[in-house]
Amino acid sequence: MNVDGTPFRTVWMDGSVVRMIDQPLLPHRFAITELADHHATARAIQVMTVRGAGAIGATAGFAMAQAALAAGNASFHEDMAAAAREVEATRPTAQNLFYAVNTVLAAIEAEGADIDRAREAAVAAAHAIADDDAACCEAIGVHGGPLVGHQARVSTHCNAGWLAFVDWGSAISPIYRAHREGRKPFVWVDETRPRSQGARLTAWELAQEGVDHAVIADNSTGHILRTGQVDLVIVGSDRIAANGDVANKIGTYTSALAAKAAGVPFYVAAPTTTIDVGCVSGEAIPIEERSPDEVLYTWGWSDAGEFIRVRTAPMASTARNFAFDVTPAALVAGIITEKGVVPATPEGIASVARR
C-alpha cells in the first residue's frame, strides 16, 4: 500500500531481523523499527508497536521464525515451546496470533529430528503466513468491493486497513477496491478511543490512498446512522466464533446495535485465519483488558513538536480498559472472507473455515 506513493508492507522479515512500521508514531511521523530477536518482536506485539489481527499474526509467525534461528541444537524443541508461550501471552484475543504460532510449530514438527531443516521450515512458514495474509486481504476487497456502491457512505470502526494486516486490510479492502474502480466512496472514521486507531491510523491511510473521509467522535456513530448518512457498515474482527459471533475492538457492538436500529447492513470483513472453529460462541472468547493508563492519559504531538502524554482524567479517578467486545451473529449481515461473503451462521462459518 501507499506511503507518499511508495509501496510498503506493514511488517516483514529480512534474514533474522523483523522490520515493521512503528504505528504509535503515526500519523505525525513515519518510521520503520527493527527487531533483532523474538523477545523484541513479542514485546512489539504486546505494546502495540504493531496491532491488528493479520499484522499480529504475521508478526507472531516471524517471532517464531526468529526463535527457531536462535534456538540451541540440543534444546531446540524446548526453546521453541518457550518461545510459543512467550508469543501467545502477548495478546489473548487475536486468533491470528495463535494460528501463526501453531502453523510454524506444525512446520517444525513435520521435519522430525532434522534441526537444520526445522529452522528452514519455520522461516518458510512465517513468510508464507505473511504472503497468505496479504493475498487473502486483496481477495476480501474483490468479494466485498461490489457491496460498496457508487458514492457509498461507509462507516467503520477502529483500524482494519492495511496497517492492521500485511497489506490491503480487511474492512477497508473493499473500500480501496471501490475507490480504485472509480466509485468514489466516502468513509466515516470514528476516532476509536482510547488509542484512537481510527483517527490516527485509518484516517492516515485513507488520506495516503486519496479516499474521501471524515473523522468523527466515537459517540457520533449512532447519530449518523439514525439520520440516514450511512449506507453500510464494515468492520474487522480479531476472532470469529463457530456460530458467527464476532470479537472486535471495543465499541463495535454499539455500532452494530445502532446499525440494526437504523436498518443499515452491518458487515464484518476478515480472512478465514481469524475464524476459531474451536470456539463455540462469543461467550468463550477471552476479552483483553489493558492498562487503565490508556484511558486516563492521552498521547499526542504538542505545539512545540514533542510527542507527549497528558492526563485527561482526575488524579483521583481509576479506569477500566476493555480492549474488545463481542457482536452477536444475529446483528451481522454477512462476513466478507477471501472465499466470498458468507452468512454469520454455523453453516456459513463452516463453509469457509480452515481445518
Side-chain angles (χ1 to χ4, degrees):
M1 298 303 292
N2 293 321
V3 180
D4 295 329
T6 300
F8 275 90
R9 282 189 166 190
T10 301
V11 58
W12 64 99
M13 185 172 174
D14 289 330
S16 62
V17 176
V18 173
R19 293 183 170 88
M20 64 177 61
I21 296 171
D22 194 331
Q23 297 192 32
L25 297 180
L26 293 171
H28 305 291
R29 181 184 168 202
F30 178 80
I32 304 299
T33 188
E34 297 185 356
L35 307 162
D37 58 36
H38 77 278
H39 301 296
T41 303
R43 176 67 176 165
I45 297 172
Q46 184 177 43
V47 302
M48 295 177 69
T49 303
V50 64
R51 28 67 54 212
I56 288 174
T59 304
F62 289 142
M64 293 298 292
Q66 287 178 305
L69 292 174
N73 287 336
S75 58
F76 182 81
H77 292 288
E78 292 82 1
D79 291 346
M80 292 308 301
R85 290 192 296 270
E86 181 178 351
V87 174
E88 288 182 338
T90 57
R91 299 294 303 274
T93 303
Q95 172 62 15
N96 295 65
L97 182 151
F98 299 94
Y99 168 82
V101 170
N102 290 331
T103 297
V104 175
L105 289 177
I108 288 171
E109 186 68 24
E111 299 302 333
D114 191 329
I115 302 303
D116 288 338
R117 287 181 60 87
R119 295 186 206 277
E120 294 173 358
V123 173
H127 284 293
I129 290 166
D131 290 343
D132 177 66
D133 184 73
C136 286
C137 286
E138 184 173 8
I140 285 171
V142 172
H143 293 296
L147 297 172
V148 184
H150 180 65
Q151 295 184 335
R153 300 160 300 173
V154 187
S155 173
T156 191
H157 182 64
C158 194
N159 174 254
W162 69 274
L163 286 165
F165 292 82
V166 175
D167 205 350
W168 283 97
S170 61
I172 310 300
S173 186
I175 296 169
Y176 286 145
R177 177 66 59 174
H179 172 73
R180 293 188 180 189
E181 292 176 354
R183 292 200 293 280
K184 300 181 179 179
F186 173 84
V187 185
W188 292 105
V189 181
D190 60 17
E191 58 184 349
T192 324
R193 284 279 295 148
R195 293 187 67 98
S196 298
Q197 296 101 318
R200 295 175 62 179
L201 303 180
T202 302
W204 178 79
E205 61 173 272
L206 289 173
Q208 293 290 324
E209 186 69 15
V211 177
D212 194 16
H213 65 280
V215 178
I216 57 173
D218 287 348
N219 50 13
S220 299
T221 301
H223 168 71
I224 62 170
L225 282 160
R226 189 189 68 80
T227 53
Q229 299 182 67
V230 179
D231 297 306
L232 73 162
V233 181
I234 311 178
V235 301
S237 177
D238 287 81
R239 188 179 301 206
I240 299 174
N243 71 336
D245 290 348
V246 174
N248 194 48
K249 182 58 59 181
I250 192 75
T252 301
Y253 176 49
T254 308
S255 179
L257 287 171
K260 183 72 171 180
V264 174
F266 180 94
Y267 290 96
V268 173
T272 54
T273 50
T274 304
I275 296 171
D276 183 358
V277 294
C279 183
V280 176
S281 74
E283 296 300 319
I285 298 175
I287 299 299
E288 177 183 3
E289 186 167 356
R290 296 182 61 79
S291 169
D293 280 359
E294 292 182 356
V295 176
L296 297 171
Y297 292 84
T298 301
W299 284 90
W301 288 87
S302 72
D303 290 341
E306 298 176 306
F307 193 58
I308 60 173
R309 187 179 82 157
V310 296
R311 188 173 178 109
T312 51
M315 293 302 296
S317 295
T318 59
R320 297 288 298 277
N321 185 15
F322 305 103
F324 302 93
D325 60 24
V326 173
T327 297
L331 298 176
V332 179
I335 297 177
I336 310 167
T337 77
E338 75 274 13
K339 298 179 181 180
V341 184
V342 299
T345 62
E347 296 76 18
I349 297 300
S351 71
V352 294
R354 302 190 188 195
R355 302 294 178 180

